[in-house]
Amino acid sequence: AQTVTQSQPEMSVQEAETVTLSCTYDTSENNYYLFWYKQPPSRQMILVIRQEAYKQQNATENRFSVNFQKAAKSFSLKISDSQLGDTAMYFCASTEYNFNKFYFGSGTKLNVKP
Amino acid sequence: EPEVTQTPSHQVTQMGQEVILRCVPISNHLYFYWYRQILGQKVEFLVSFYNNEISEKSEIFDDQFSVERPDGSNFTLKIRSTKLEDSAMYFCASSDGLFAHEQYFGPGTRLTVT
């Protein structure tokens, strides 16, 4: 089984600034995948970014990037040039290689202030 | 862009009653999932479903729960003899099984058991 921990229940950032959301996980698997999902208020979760554990290079999607530290089992999300539309709940998640079961963290509520 | 839909958005039921939560996954997807989130807690995996059978289920998914794909479009979660602790947000998700099984989530059904 895997566990995912997000230690920051809530964060705030000024528009145009950079913010980093933390996530740690625990797994005994060698092959797994990590994800960040965004859930805007009253809307469904959407995938922000994903990382394969066997890849050393950190994933990047436009203003979103991750810092994947495999040995430390850490998977943080950096949002650059924060926008008001980034205000949402962010969930870190992991899955084993067979993708049958996803594990989620408790979420970080991000508030981007104008 | 295709979306996963869920009905109803809010269901209120009395303890001991049976409820059916409905989901319409994205049409070409083959993998289906149910999750739940009790208020203030993590999103928890309940069950995954592929090829008309359960792929994996969590400890939460006991005999009280069942899933079905009654036709080519719907994916349902039935909860028999509901309990107060079943009150939660229930999310359906689907995946096409391609890279890293990116999951597309529905908006959720809020179940309130009184």
Side-chain angles (χ1 to χ4, degrees), chain B residues 1-88:
Chain B
E1 187 169 333
E3 289 186 336
V4 176
T5 59
Q6 290 184 243
T7 54
S9 56
H10 190 193
Q11 173 89 48
V12 181
T13 189
Q14 287 191 327
M15 198 166 51
Q17 297 296 306
E18 175 181 288
V19 295
I20 297 176
L21 309 184
R22 291 183 167 78
C23 168
V24 179
I26 294 173
S27 62
N28 63 335
H29 284 188
L30 302 174
Y31 299 81
F32 313 109
Y33 308 83
W34 281 103
Y35 296 84
R36 79 173 184 189
Q37 185 180 27
I38 296 171
L39 188 64
Q41 297 186 24
K42 289 186 177 186
V43 174
E44 301 172 289
F45 168 81
L46 290 178
V47 66
S48 57
F49 190 87
Y50 169 72
N51 200 26
N52 283 321
E53 60 183 24
I54 290 174
S55 306
E56 186 149 357
K57 58 184 181 180
S58 71
E59 306 78 36
I60 303 166
F61 195 89
D62 58 21
D63 293 342
Q64 185 194 4
F65 295 88
S66 61
V67 289
E68 194 177 33
R69 189 155 162 80
D71 52 42
S73 60
N74 290 284
F75 180 52
T76 61
L77 174 68
K78 183 189 289 185
I79 309 174
R80 287 179 281 273
S81 189
T82 49
K83 299 176 279 195
L84 294 176
E85 53 265 38
D86 294 328
S87 294

Side-chain angles (χ1 to χ4, degrees), chain A residues 4 44 50 52 99-100 102, chain B residues 35 42 48 99 102-103:
Chain A
V4 178
Q44 51 252 66
R50 61 185 162 216
E52 305 101 302
F99 307 110
N100 279 338
F102 277 63
Chain B
Y35 296 84
K42 289 186 177 186
S48 57
F99 177 73
E102 175 181 345
Q103 295 194 4

Side-chain angles (χ1 to χ4, degrees), chain A:
Chain A
Q2 300 184 357
T3 58
V4 178
T5 303
Q6 294 177 250
S7 58
Q8 305 152 313
E10 194 162 353
M11 295 187 72
S12 294
V13 64
Q14 291 295 131
E15 197 176 5
E17 293 188 348
T18 295
V19 64
T20 299
L21 309 183
S22 301
C23 173
T24 58
Y25 61 92
D26 189 20
T27 179
S28 56
E29 299 292 328
N30 285 321
N31 193 9
Y32 54 91
Y33 295 77
L34 299 165
F35 307 84
W36 277 99
Y37 279 87
K38 168 185 176 181
Q39 187 180 32
S42 302
R43 296 188 63 186
Q44 51 252 66
M45 274 191 279
I46 55 174
L47 181 68
V48 174
I49 198 166
R50 61 185 162 216
Q51 173 84 40
E52 305 101 302
Y54 61 86
K55 283 191 177 178
Q56 292 186 339
Q57 186 173 5
N58 289 326
T60 299
E61 287 287 341
N62 301 313
R63 297 183 294 107
F64 298 87
S65 61
V66 298
N67 183 6
F68 174 46
Q69 302 288 328
K70 191 172 184 178
K73 294 183 178 175
S74 170
F75 182 61
S76 59
L77 174 69
K78 186 171 85 171
I79 306 174
S80 305
D81 186 25
S82 298
Q83 300 176 359
L84 297 178
D86 295 334
T87 292
M89 197 74 163
Y90 286 81
F91 292 98
C92 180
S94 69
T95 184
E96 298 163 357
Y97 70 95
N98 61 6
F99 307 110
N100 279 338
K101 196 171 183 177
F102 277 63
Y103 302 84
F104 282 83
S106 53
T108 296
K109 186 176 180 182
L110 178 66
N111 185 25
V112 181
K113 298 180 177 179

